[in-house]
Amino acid sequence: MDDSKIIDLFFQRSEKAIVELSDKYGNICMNLSFNILNDYNDAEECVNDSYFGVWNSVPPNKPDPLLSYVCRIVRNVSINRYKHNRAEKRKGNYDLCLDELENCIGSSAKIDDELSVKELSSYIEEFLDSLDEINRMIFVRRFWYLDSYKSIAQKSELKESTVRVRILRVKSDLKNFLKKKGIIV
């Protein structure tokens, strides 16, 4: 079903909206949540909570594109659950990805001192726009969807070692880009 028709179902307050949303984007949402939580049951619960979040926010919002909107909600709900569950000592995939990125953009305390999160977001968007399609996809899959190197390699039809090298280069390029923008990393 087309995204606009799904949104129309939300505006009509039809329960079929959730069914259609789940049919169309359920697998993507589960993968995203599982990559953060590494627990199927928690991921399933977060996805369901996210559907409830979409139900409560559409209307009045009319998201375009719908997938990005839903993924952002799934990601936020999953990260909140991850933080709640974080009583365990060992690091999960989410922490590892953040550690990787911290080398490029610095710690959050440093960022808050130097510029707002909105400014940093706009710089990162500008940087991503400058990348070719494959490097942008690899970067987004690793640091937004938190995909493993192996998963990215399969999706991009590249070797895992090639994906690792590309991510290292893109992170280095991001660091240099941010330095040129006056951000000390």
Side-chain angles (χ1 to χ4, degrees), residues 92-113:
N93 192 36
Y94 177 68
D95 284 323
L96 295 174
C97 285
L98 287 182
D99 288 348
E100 275 185 62
L101 256 186
E102 189 173 301
N103 294 331
C104 296
I105 62 175
S107 70
S108 59
K110 225 196 256 184
I111 291 168
D112 289 341
D113 291 343

mmCIF file of all heavy atoms in Angstrom, residues 92-113:
data_model
loop_
_atom_site.group_PDB
_atom_site.id
_atom_site.type_symbol
_atom_site.label_atom_id
_atom_site.label_comp_id
_atom_site.label_asym_id
_atom_site.label_seq_id
_atom_site.Cartn_x
_atom_site.Cartn_y
_atom_site.Cartn_z
ATOM 1 N N GLY A 92 26.995 -3.132 24.204
ATOM 2 C CA GLY A 92 26.246 -3.694 23.095
ATOM 3 C C GLY A 92 26.633 -3.016 21.792
ATOM 4 O O GLY A 92 27.502 -2.141 21.746
ATOM 5 N N ASN A 93 25.953 -3.392 20.732
ATOM 6 C CA ASN A 93 26.223 -2.852 19.405
ATOM 7 C C ASN A 93 26.036 -1.338 19.368
ATOM 8 O O ASN A 93 26.801 -0.618 18.734
ATOM 9 C CB ASN A 93 25.307 -3.540 18.388
ATOM 10 C CG ASN A 93 25.714 -3.262 16.969
ATOM 11 O OD1 ASN A 93 26.888 -3.173 16.649
ATOM 12 N ND2 ASN A 93 24.723 -3.124 16.103
ATOM 13 N N TYR A 94 25.039 -0.839 20.065
ATOM 14 C CA TYR A 94 24.770 0.598 20.093
ATOM 15 C C TYR A 94 25.965 1.353 20.668
ATOM 16 O O TYR A 94 26.416 2.340 20.107
ATOM 17 C CB TYR A 94 23.506 0.857 20.904
ATOM 18 C CG TYR A 94 23.162 2.309 21.057
ATOM 19 C CD1 TYR A 94 22.757 3.066 19.963
ATOM 20 C CD2 TYR A 94 23.237 2.929 22.294
ATOM 21 C CE1 TYR A 94 22.444 4.400 20.102
ATOM 22 C CE2 TYR A 94 22.919 4.270 22.442
ATOM 23 C CZ TYR A 94 22.521 4.999 21.344
ATOM 24 O OH TYR A 94 22.214 6.319 21.484
ATOM 25 N N ASP A 95 26.506 0.882 21.789
ATOM 26 C CA ASP A 95 27.668 1.529 22.392
ATOM 27 C C ASP A 95 28.873 1.477 21.466
ATOM 28 O O ASP A 95 29.625 2.446 21.356
ATOM 29 C CB ASP A 95 28.036 0.856 23.716
ATOM 30 C CG ASP A 95 27.101 1.245 24.845
ATOM 31 O OD1 ASP A 95 26.679 2.413 24.887
ATOM 32 O OD2 ASP A 95 26.795 0.380 25.670
ATOM 33 N N LEU A 96 29.078 0.343 20.820
ATOM 34 C CA LEU A 96 30.227 0.205 19.937
ATOM 35 C C LEU A 96 30.155 1.183 18.768
ATOM 36 O O LEU A 96 31.160 1.804 18.405
ATOM 37 C CB LEU A 96 30.325 -1.237 19.422
ATOM 38 C CG LEU A 96 30.601 -2.289 20.494
ATOM 39 C CD1 LEU A 96 30.540 -3.695 19.903
ATOM 40 C CD2 LEU A 96 31.931 -2.050 21.173
ATOM 41 N N CYS A 97 28.964 1.345 18.197
ATOM 42 C CA CYS A 97 28.798 2.290 17.095
ATOM 43 C C CYS A 97 29.040 3.721 17.570
ATOM 44 O O CYS A 97 29.676 4.516 16.876
ATOM 45 C CB CYS A 97 27.413 2.170 16.474
ATOM 46 S SG CYS A 97 27.224 0.712 15.444
ATOM 47 N N LEU A 98 28.531 4.043 18.751
ATOM 48 C CA LEU A 98 28.753 5.390 19.294
ATOM 49 C C LEU A 98 30.225 5.634 19.556
ATOM 50 O O LEU A 98 30.733 6.729 19.299
ATOM 51 C CB LEU A 98 27.939 5.598 20.572
ATOM 52 C CG LEU A 98 26.448 5.759 20.403
ATOM 53 C CD1 LEU A 98 25.797 6.009 21.761
ATOM 54 C CD2 LEU A 98 26.108 6.882 19.454
ATOM 55 N N ASP A 99 30.923 4.632 20.083
ATOM 56 C CA ASP A 99 32.355 4.777 20.319
ATOM 57 C C ASP A 99 33.098 5.038 19.020
ATOM 58 O O ASP A 99 34.012 5.864 18.968
ATOM 59 C CB ASP A 99 32.919 3.518 20.991
ATOM 60 C CG ASP A 99 32.487 3.380 22.440
ATOM 61 O OD1 ASP A 99 31.939 4.354 23.002
ATOM 62 O OD2 ASP A 99 32.686 2.287 23.000
ATOM 63 N N GLU A 100 32.698 4.334 17.956
ATOM 64 C CA GLU A 100 33.319 4.540 16.651
ATOM 65 C C GLU A 100 33.141 5.981 16.187
ATOM 66 O O GLU A 100 34.068 6.608 15.689
ATOM 67 C CB GLU A 100 32.669 3.631 15.598
ATOM 68 C CG GLU A 100 33.213 2.254 15.517
ATOM 69 C CD GLU A 100 32.576 1.506 14.366
ATOM 70 O OE1 GLU A 100 32.731 1.912 13.203
ATOM 71 O OE2 GLU A 100 31.897 0.505 14.647
ATOM 72 N N LEU A 101 31.928 6.487 16.329
ATOM 73 C CA LEU A 101 31.633 7.846 15.864
ATOM 74 C C LEU A 101 32.262 8.914 16.748
ATOM 75 O O LEU A 101 32.599 9.988 16.278
ATOM 76 C CB LEU A 101 30.120 8.065 15.809
ATOM 77 C CG LEU A 101 29.485 8.035 14.452
ATOM 78 C CD1 LEU A 101 28.019 8.415 14.538
ATOM 79 C CD2 LEU A 101 30.185 8.825 13.412
ATOM 80 N N GLU A 102 32.404 8.626 18.026
ATOM 81 C CA GLU A 102 32.943 9.630 18.943
ATOM 82 C C GLU A 102 34.331 10.082 18.522
ATOM 83 O O GLU A 102 34.716 11.230 18.711
ATOM 84 C CB GLU A 102 32.971 9.096 20.376
ATOM 85 C CG GLU A 102 33.311 10.176 21.387
ATOM 86 C CD GLU A 102 33.170 9.696 22.803
ATOM 87 O OE1 GLU A 102 32.065 9.274 23.173
ATOM 88 O OE2 GLU A 102 34.177 9.755 23.518
ATOM 89 N N ASN A 103 35.095 9.181 17.913
ATOM 90 C CA ASN A 103 36.425 9.549 17.440
ATOM 91 C C ASN A 103 36.362 10.613 16.351
ATOM 92 O O ASN A 103 37.318 11.356 16.159
ATOM 93 C CB ASN A 103 37.162 8.320 16.918
ATOM 94 C CG ASN A 103 37.459 7.325 18.015
ATOM 95 O OD1 ASN A 103 37.617 7.699 19.171
ATOM 96 N ND2 ASN A 103 37.523 6.052 17.659
ATOM 97 N N CYS A 104 35.250 10.663 15.623
ATOM 98 C CA CYS A 104 35.093 11.648 14.549
ATOM 99 C C CYS A 104 34.531 12.970 15.045
ATOM 100 O O CYS A 104 34.990 14.031 14.658
ATOM 101 C CB CYS A 104 34.140 11.139 13.472
ATOM 102 S SG CYS A 104 34.680 9.714 12.614
ATOM 103 N N ILE A 105 33.492 12.873 15.867
ATOM 104 C CA ILE A 105 32.775 14.098 16.216
ATOM 105 C C ILE A 105 33.011 14.552 17.642
ATOM 106 O O ILE A 105 32.503 15.584 18.049
ATOM 107 C CB ILE A 105 31.254 13.949 15.970
ATOM 108 C CG1 ILE A 105 30.662 12.848 16.829
ATOM 109 C CG2 ILE A 105 30.976 13.730 14.506
ATOM 110 C CD1 ILE A 105 29.154 12.741 16.729
ATOM 111 N N GLY A 106 33.758 13.805 18.419
ATOM 112 C CA GLY A 106 34.046 14.204 19.787
ATOM 113 C C GLY A 106 32.933 13.794 20.724
ATOM 114 O O GLY A 106 31.896 13.303 20.323
ATOM 115 N N SER A 107 33.180 14.013 22.000
ATOM 116 C CA SER A 107 32.190 13.638 23.003
ATOM 117 C C SER A 107 31.031 14.604 22.999
ATOM 118 O O SER A 107 31.155 15.740 22.569
ATOM 119 C CB SER A 107 32.822 13.609 24.391
ATOM 120 O OG SER A 107 33.118 14.925 24.802
ATOM 121 N N SER A 108 29.900 14.179 23.528
ATOM 122 C CA SER A 108 28.708 15.023 23.539
ATOM 123 C C SER A 108 28.929 16.271 24.391
ATOM 124 O O SER A 108 28.392 17.322 24.091
ATOM 125 C CB SER A 108 27.495 14.241 24.022
ATOM 126 O OG SER A 108 27.723 13.747 25.319
ATOM 127 N N ALA A 109 29.726 16.179 25.462
ATOM 128 C CA ALA A 109 29.992 17.361 26.286
ATOM 129 C C ALA A 109 30.739 18.400 25.480
ATOM 130 O O ALA A 109 30.437 19.594 25.538
ATOM 131 C CB ALA A 109 30.796 16.965 27.520
ATOM 132 N N LYS A 110 31.716 17.958 24.694
ATOM 133 C CA LYS A 110 32.477 18.871 23.848
ATOM 134 C C LYS A 110 31.569 19.526 22.809
ATOM 135 O O LYS A 110 31.658 20.709 22.541
ATOM 136 C CB LYS A 110 33.573 18.072 23.134
ATOM 137 C CG LYS A 110 34.942 18.731 23.136
ATOM 138 C CD LYS A 110 35.822 18.080 22.114
ATOM 139 C CE LYS A 110 36.837 17.155 22.696
ATOM 140 N NZ LYS A 110 37.738 16.603 21.697
ATOM 141 N N ILE A 111 30.696 18.708 22.224
ATOM 142 C CA ILE A 111 29.788 19.207 21.198
ATOM 143 C C ILE A 111 28.864 20.265 21.783
ATOM 144 O O ILE A 111 28.661 21.321 21.187
ATOM 145 C CB ILE A 111 28.968 18.048 20.581
ATOM 146 C CG1 ILE A 111 29.887 17.155 19.765
ATOM 147 C CG2 ILE A 111 27.840 18.571 19.718
ATOM 148 C CD1 ILE A 111 29.252 15.851 19.363
ATOM 149 N N ASP A 112 28.295 20.001 22.954
ATOM 150 C CA ASP A 112 27.388 20.956 23.572
ATOM 151 C C ASP A 112 28.077 22.285 23.834
ATOM 152 O O ASP A 112 27.465 23.337 23.719
ATOM 153 C CB ASP A 112 26.817 20.400 24.883
ATOM 154 C CG ASP A 112 25.835 19.266 24.648
ATOM 155 O OD1 ASP A 112 25.331 19.154 23.510
ATOM 156 O OD2 ASP A 112 25.590 18.494 25.588
ATOM 157 N N ASP A 113 29.354 22.234 24.216
ATOM 158 C CA ASP A 113 30.085 23.459 24.469
ATOM 159 C C ASP A 113 30.310 24.256 23.189
ATOM 160 O O ASP A 113 30.286 25.478 23.197
ATOM 161 C CB ASP A 113 31.457 23.159 25.104
ATOM 162 C CG ASP A 113 31.326 22.633 26.518
ATOM 163 O OD1 ASP A 113 30.229 22.799 27.111
ATOM 164 O OD2 ASP A 113 32.306 22.057 27.026
#
